[in-house]
Amino acid sequence: MNENEQTQPAPDPRQLVAMLADTAKLRVFAALALAEPKTATSAELAEATGLTAREVLKALAGLETAGLAAGPESWRATPATFRTSLEEFNRKREERLSRTFHTSEPEKVSVLLSVFDDERRLTKLPELKNQERLLTVLEELAQSFEPGVRYPEAEVNLTLSGFHPDFAALRRYLVDSALLSRGDGYYWRSGGTVDV
């Protein structure tokens, strides 16, 4: 790896995919990735792709800028850029999202990262069979309700619908887990951790 590759941040994987939406770049990258013995000249790439020499050179310039190809005499694909880019993207996503959770315990953060998307919406309802995971998710949801405040059911439903369309199931799980209590048409937080 040269000095420039070490200092440049990993490109966003969405930008890499968008770049490969360009037919010429995709054809050149595919030809490079399939080249035997792992390198090819621009003339060989033009022959393999059916593109003109100018189109190949333009595609190679874009691929090289994105870190998907290295040259300039004999070109090779650098698909590891995808892996590095995706790893960095996921690391940043997890770091950003984990700061929004109400726990810093690594095991719980891991559970929460596996069920919440970037907008803090549940991608799936917690499974009843895994009580520990379920409780971790429910404790996070319970943080949406202030201790000592009584909420009408409509407000609880509105809050929980921000996490998942099946707010009734979430409400029921919270009550069954003693994180919320209910009476006289109102709900209040009765469990979970409290920030002091």
Side-chain angles (χ1 to χ4, degrees):
M1 185 178 279
N2 69 36
E3 193 174 301
N4 289 341
E5 289 174 325
Q6 291 175 351
T7 59
Q8 292 180 349
D12 186 312
R14 296 169 293 192
Q15 292 172 329
L16 296 178
V17 171
M19 172 171 285
L20 292 178
D22 177 284
T23 305
K25 289 180 181 117
L26 178 61
R27 288 168 72 180
V28 170
F29 182 75
L32 277 175
L34 298 172
E36 287 298 333
K38 300 296 181 202
T39 62
T41 64
S42 57
E44 291 169 334
L45 290 168
E47 185 179 327
T49 61
L51 298 170
T52 66
R54 184 171 187 221
E55 290 171 320
V56 168
L57 290 174
K58 184 178 176 186
L60 285 170
L63 292 170
E64 184 177 37
T65 299
L68 293 173
E73 296 300 320
S74 187
W75 291 89
R76 63 182 170 78
T78 54
T81 301
F82 277 114
R83 182 178 55 254
T84 303
S85 174
L86 193 55
E87 287 169 355
E88 180 67 8
F89 180 81
N90 286 334
R91 185 192 64 73
K92 286 179 180 175
R93 174 198 173 265
E94 290 176 4
E95 183 179 288
R96 184 181 68 251
L97 192 55
S98 66
R99 286 193 301 262
T100 67
F101 295 135
H102 293 88
T103 182
S104 58
E105 295 177 44
E107 302 80 23
K108 289 184 177 184
V109 169
S110 178
V111 169
L112 296 172
L113 285 169
S114 73
V115 296
F116 282 97
D117 66 15
D118 287 353
E119 285 79 39
R120 284 191 40 90
R121 290 188 52 82
L122 283 168
T123 56
K124 56 188 169 191
L125 286 177
E127 295 182 23
L128 291 173
K129 64 183 178 185
N130 189 331
Q131 288 296 312
E132 191 174 326
R133 286 176 60 89
L134 174 62
L135 191 57
T136 296
V137 173
L138 294 176
E139 285 176 349
E140 183 65 24
L141 295 177
Q143 298 296 321
S144 302
F145 303 98
E146 292 292 323
V149 177
R150 296 174 79 82
Y151 297 90
E153 185 171 308
E155 192 172 343
V156 172
N157 292 345
L158 182 63
T159 299
L160 294 176
S161 69
F163 293 106
H164 194 275
D166 194 353
F167 55 84
L170 294 177
R171 189 184 65 233
R172 186 174 58 252
Y173 290 158
L174 287 164
V175 170
D176 290 348
S177 299
L179 292 165
L180 288 185
S181 293
R182 68 176 165 211
D184 298 326
Y186 288 90
Y187 291 78
W188 59 94
R189 186 153 147 219
S190 54
T193 59
V194 178
D195 294 332
V196 288

